[in-house]
Amino acid sequence: QVQLVESGGGSVQSGGSLRLSCAVSRSTNTNVYLAWFRQAPGKEREGVAAISTGGDHTDYADSVKGRFTISQARRTVYLQMNSLKPDDTAMYFCAARGGYYYTALLRAPEDYEYWGQGTQVTVSS
């Protein structure tokens, strides 16, 4: 069993930065593949960034490339968000899929087995 707990959301002005954290806990030594998603009101959940199990490969949605950075350290995965825009306003979720993945590729939401509760990010203009 894998549990994910996000933190770090908040309200910032356009151009500001936030760093989201996702604490990952596992009942066994299960390998996981982690990603960040977001969902704005009235919109579908979309993938933002993914990181390989070893942490050496990443994948980003085109809308955040060059502004967001996903990383992981021990049992936490981070999402550094810079140059934030009002369009980045959404609930951000951490997601995990069991297994060891050598590369990073954002998958559809239904491909992830575990989800956190989400943390709200609001960017004002």
Side-chain angles (χ1 to χ4, degrees):
Q1 190 70 18
V2 177
Q3 292 183 323
L4 308 171
V5 179
E6 303 97 334
S7 62
S11 298
V12 295
Q13 291 192 328
S14 182
S17 298
L18 283 173
R19 188 175 82 155
L20 306 182
S21 300
C22 174
V24 183
S25 60
R26 288 163 272 186
S27 58
T28 62
N29 288 327
T30 305
N31 289 313
V32 292
Y33 173 72
L34 297 160
W36 284 97
F37 282 75
R38 67 185 181 187
Q39 188 166 19
K43 294 187 177 180
E44 293 186 352
R45 191 166 296 191
E46 64 170 345
V48 175
I51 189 165
S52 61
T53 303
D56 49 356
H57 296 279
T58 56
D59 187 30
Y60 297 93
D62 288 342
S63 59
V64 306
K65 281 181 181 176
R67 300 188 299 121
F68 290 13
T69 303
I70 187 171
S71 63
Q72 63 184 24
R74 299 180 69 83
R75 297 186 177 185
T76 304
V77 61
Y78 302 96
L79 185 67
Q80 178 66 44
M81 306 185 295
N82 298 326
S83 302
L84 283 161
K85 306 174 181 179
D87 284 349
D88 295 319
T89 295
M91 184 72 79
Y92 283 71
F93 298 91
C94 182
R97 173 185 171 96
Y100 195 100
Y101 291 83
Y102 292 92
T103 60
L105 179 65
L106 274 170
R107 297 174 180 268
E110 54 267 29
D111 288 341
Y112 292 83
E113 303 163 79
Y114 307 100
W115 291 85
Q117 293 298 309
T119 185
Q120 178 68 36
V121 172
T122 303
V123 185
S124 58
S125 57

